[in-house]
Amino acid sequence: MQTQIKIEKCEKPYCVIHTEQKNDAINSIAEKISMMDETGKLCRIAAWDGDFCIQLTQNDILRIYSMDKKVYVECEKETEPLLLKLRLYEIEEMAERFGWNDFIRISHTDIVNFSKVKNLDMSLSGIIKVNYADGKNAIVSRRYMNKIKSQLMMTSTKQ
């Protein structure tokens, strides 16, 4: 396969694949590239379903939450939450390292993948409700309200 690297000014490196037609091999290459960070390392999180380890990418995850002193991940493809062996702050640090900018902490116990959010319901007074396409939802804590609004550019940041 022929490769070419172009040096140009851009915010983040990105890859374009030129091909006559899409096939399984091209899809596989694109998927592998999309799972890499800028250093070429694969960006995955290991989640557990009993004795089985499942490798998750950013696109697999709806939300990450803690309950009963354990951390779980909710996915689109899995019906039951999967167990993570990391703390929420470690996941926040990992998401930042991987460049997963859509992962935003909305409460003491929840991190949401905003690329999977259908809409934000602001009809309740002072409360933001995060709605997913599958009907699930989460409530934004008042403590995190300003941080979320500024991350989503709903308000101007103070200078």
Side-chain angles (χ1 to χ4, degrees):
M1 185 177 295
Q2 181 182 351
T3 60
Q4 181 181 26
I5 298 174
K6 288 186 177 181
I7 308 298
E8 59 185 48
K9 195 171 189 164
C10 60
E11 194 173 308
K12 281 179 98 174
Y14 64 94
C15 181
V16 177
I17 299 173
H18 298 271
T19 182
E20 221 171 83
Q21 66 183 31
K22 236 179 171 182
N23 57 38
D24 290 342
I26 296 297
N27 288 339
S28 176
I29 291 168
E31 185 178 348
K32 287 175 184 168
I33 291 170
S34 69
M35 288 188 238
M36 292 180 187
D37 64 9
E38 282 121 23
T39 66
K41 294 179 184 172
L42 290 179
C43 303
R44 295 183 181 189
I45 292 179
W48 298 88
D49 184 7
D51 292 333
F52 296 97
C53 179
I54 299 169
Q55 298 291 311
L56 301 174
T57 63
Q58 176 182 7
N59 291 330
D60 298 326
I61 301 170
L62 288 175
R63 77 185 257 252
I64 300 168
Y65 65 95
S66 66
M67 183 172 62
D68 299 328
K69 297 186 179 182
K70 293 184 179 180
V71 177
Y72 299 93
V73 60
E74 215 171 83
C75 304
E76 287 180 317
K77 297 174 186 171
E78 301 291 327
T79 55
E80 294 292 318
L82 303 171
L83 180 67
L84 293 177
K85 295 184 178 180
L86 297 166
R87 299 280 179 227
L88 284 177
Y89 75 88
E90 293 173 316
I91 293 165
E92 278 185 302
E93 291 170 359
M94 187 183 297
E96 188 175 325
R97 219 175 33 250
F98 289 168
W100 294 0
N101 299 324
D102 290 331
F103 283 73
I104 300 175
R105 188 136 187 184
I106 64 164
S107 71
H108 183 65
T109 59
D110 275 287
I111 298 172
V112 171
N113 182 353
F114 269 85
S115 68
K116 301 293 182 178
V117 170
K118 178 182 175 187
N119 60 39
L120 300 174
D121 182 358
M122 298 180 173
S123 62
L124 300 171
S125 60
I127 296 175
I128 298 177
K129 185 174 166 185
V130 178
N131 296 315
Y132 295 100
D134 65 359
K136 294 178 184 176
N137 57 53
I139 302 293
V140 175
S141 166
R142 292 184 195 276
R143 180 178 176 191
Y144 290 86
M145 198 82 66
N146 287 335
K147 178 183 174 191
I148 291 162
K149 285 181 179 179
S150 66
Q151 278 187 286
L152 296 174
M153 291 189 240
M154 296 170 77
T155 61
S156 60
T157 55
K158 294 180 183 177
Q159 295 184 11

